[in-house]
Structure formats: C-alpha cells, structure tokens
Amino acid sequence: EAQVTQNPRYLITVTGKKLTVTCSQNMNHEYMSWYRQDPGLGLRQIYYSMNVEVTDKGDVPEGYKVSRKEKRNFPLILESPSPNQTSLYFCASSSGGRDTGELFFGEGSRLTVL
Amino acid sequence: DAKTTQPPSMDCAEGRAANLPCNHSTISGNEYVYWYRQIHSQGPQYIIHGLKNNETNEMASLIITEDRKSSTLILPHATLRDTAVYYCIVPYNQGGKLIFGQGTELSVKP
C-alpha cells in the first residue's frame, strides 16, 4: 500500500532535549516536505526536498533541521526543542516535477514540548 | 509565489452542491491549481488539480476562469462527510515551496 509513515505519532518532551521525527515513503517519490499546523494558522511549510541531498527552506524553518540522504526518508530534527514548537507536524511526498503539488500526506505527529 | 485567497468558512445543505472559491490573481502561465481537504486533524487529502481547462474526477469538479485568476471547487452533492477544511494552493513555478494558507472550513448541514 502506498503510504507516508511518520514516527512517533505522539510525543511529549522537555525543552532542550533533541528529538527526531522520522518520515518514510514507499512510492519512490522525489519530492518530500514537512509542515506544521497550529490553530488559526493553517499548514505552514518548514522544509522541502526536491531530491536526494537537495533541501531548502520553507516558510518557517527556524529551529528545525532536515536531511535527505536517501530517497525514501526525510527526518525532521529539533536540536533544542522549545515550547513554541509544540504543534501538529505533517510529512508529505510527491513524484515531483510537474506533479510536485499532488502530495501524499502522513497521518501527523503531535508534539508537545514542556 | 502565487498566493491564494479563500473565504474562511462556508455552509452547505446536505445533498446540494458546494461551490468553494479561490482567488489566485498572481498565478503565472505554467502554474497549476491544486485542491486539498483536511478532515479534523488528519493528513490533508489531495482532491483535484488543473491548469486551464475544467477538470472532473470522482470526488469533485474544478472550474478555472479563462484568465486563470480564480477557480471554484465543486462538490456536486455534498454529504456530511464532506465537512472539512479545503485548501487551494499554487506551487510556485513547479518548485518546491508550497503555501497552504488557512483554507475554507466547509460545514455541511442536514
């Protein structure tokens, strides 16, 4: 089954404790991206990757890192989480090129930073 | 980036057509319009996309104006399960940066 898998789905952590949210897709997609969703602010793009070893900033990259060492995985790294990073996070992928906008989304990861 | 503007909320009676508008006045010639919906806090679901011609699939129809500055997503017979937030997006020049905005919250009422 074609899918985008995120882990963990739920996480409560404390300020400053490094964490990684993993994202994996099984559709051989070139494009992957991360979003955060906060009440009243809709979906905001954090980072995106057009292909392996190619990443770029979205609208709200501050406090986040990403890497794209292989095609299927696109982890989101919070080196020193802060309470303002408490949010619902989504990973998405698409085949890229003219079909960049036809995204498949993961189920979301709800992160709470105390 | 081509920005989109959508009304924050709309109501629709069950069984009637839901027409959701989107303005994208800065769209350029080769940029597609995509529509998604998000039910509660689930991952958004792709609905349909188009360039200049009208499009239809099993979920919805998409009408794009001739000048391409606006579009309308049509759910022909809305059901209660269509209650969701609907997003219209325009990927900038087939690039990777995507702006979702806040979307339109559609409430389908019995």
Side-chain angles (χ1 to χ4, degrees), chain A residues 31 35 37 40 42-43 45 48 50 59 88 90 98-103 105-106 110, chain B residues 32 34 36 38 41-44 46 49 87 91 94-102:
Chain A
Y31 177 87
Y35 304 83
Q37 186 169 37
L43 281 159
Q45 191 181 49
Y48 63 93
M50 300 295 283
D59 275 343
L88 177 60
F90 290 102
R98 291 178 59 170
D99 297 319
T100 295
E102 191 171 341
L103 295 164
F105 279 83
R110 190 170 291 279
Chain B
Y32 284 74
Y34 287 80
Y36 287 81
Q38 184 179 26
S41 296
Q42 297 175 21
Y46 164 82
H49 73 282
Y87 296 96
Q94 301 175 23
K97 196 162 187 179
L98 301 177
I99 300 174
F100 272 79
Q102 297 189 45

Side-chain angles (χ1 to χ4, degrees), chain A residues 5 7 10 14 16 20 28 36 40-41 53 65 68 110:
Chain A
T5 304
N7 279 297
Y10 302 90
V14 296
T20 299
N28 201 35
R36 62 177 290 173
L41 295 177
E53 302 291 2
K65 286 175 58 178
R68 187 89 183 273
R110 190 170 291 279

